Amino acid sequence: MPSLADRLVDRALRQAHERCARPGHLAFTTRQLYWETDRVLLPLHRGPHRLRYTTRPVLSAGRFAAALARHPELPVLPDEVAPRPHRPGPERDLYDYAFPRLLVCQDPGIAGMLLANRLHLEGACPVVTPERLPLEPRLLAAMARAEGAVVHVLHDASPAGLELFRRVREHAGPGLLVRTAGLLPRHAAALHLAAPGGRPRPAADALPAELPVAERDWLAGGRVAELAAVRPARLLRTVLRTLRGGGFAPPARPAAPTRARDTGFLTWPTP
């Protein structure tokens, strides 16, 4: 018979599954379900956004896995799911068209979740993962034919996420605009996301100099906030808004250095 703690986690898991699917029976990954279950158990995210903080998760990975195993009826996408390659058809003329936008997603599971919810169709945007780097020359040429084409990089609030942005910008070259659509410590703090520590601490020179000191210190402390920690509906809505060019808001404080928009400038919309 499950213990009281197990029954509490089971109840939180079922509630989290219902929340993740809203609205419209959204598809989501196991990792997204984990973070939502953690929020059900410790709803600190309900705090006012003007108070900025992150928390450590209260739910262990092992206890969550055990609870999920007790409920095989709950459908979730696997975290390792990857998007299907974007390749030309038999007529080999796909790349003769102009691509106005491209989304490079750090997390293959999140990329699969975006595709499962048809974001690539609604946003008219191919979705690829870092395994596709360097970007194929024919793809870059197709984007170059579209006026104002943009490569969006969707990444975690982590040194690895910022490094991915740098790599994409390097592969895209000077003729193509590359923008980040990813998390930064400021976003994680405003949303009160759980951000576990204990990761290897990056060297100071490995972090972008354009980041504010407080955010550099947050990353230097070994903290990471995952895209999966953002609620599925909010993630989909925000990414789609960004792809359509409406994801930015006037800065609430004096502008950072000129390249600050290249190192994390996504403004998450309010619910």
Side-chain angles (χ1 to χ4, degrees), residues 1 3 43 65 77 90 109 117 124 127-129 136 202 218 224 237-238 257:
M1 181 176 179
S3 65
L77 297 173
N117 289 291
V127 179
V128 301
T129 52
E136 190 171 348
W218 188 91
V224 168
R237 182 172 66 246
T238 304

Side-chain angles (χ1 to χ4, degrees), residues 19 52 67 69 73 76 80 134 137 142 159 174 191 202-203 215 237 257 260 263:
R19 289 183 180 181
R52 299 192 166 219
E73 75 281 2
V76 289
E80 66 273 10
L191 295 174
E215 297 192 52
R237 182 172 66 246
T263 54

Side-chain angles (χ1 to χ4, degrees), residues 178-264:
V178 179
R179 289 179 172 172
T180 175
L183 282 174
L184 281 181
R186 74 190 72 157
H187 307 134
L191 295 174
H192 310 319
L193 300 181
R199 304 291 181 90
R201 301 194 174 196
D205 58 359
L207 299 174
E210 295 83 5
L211 285 177
V213 173
E215 297 192 52
R216 288 170 58 87
D217 291 344
W218 188 91
L219 292 167
R223 300 182 186 90
V224 168
E226 301 176 15
L227 285 167
V230 181
R231 282 183 168 172
R234 186 166 199 163
L235 181 62
L236 285 166
R237 182 172 66 246
T238 304
V239 174
L240 184 60
R241 182 182 176 187
T242 300
L243 294 176
R244 291 173 171 172
F248 312 112
R253 56 184 177 181
T258 55
R259 287 179 59 195
R261 289 176 69 94
D262 287 341
T263 54

Side-chain angles (χ1 to χ4, degrees), residues 4 26 60 72 74 100 107 124 151 166 180 189 194 220 236 244 270:
L4 175 60
L26 297 177
S60 70
L74 298 179
D107 185 338
V151 179
R166 186 199 64 78
T180 175
L236 285 166
R244 291 173 171 172
T270 56

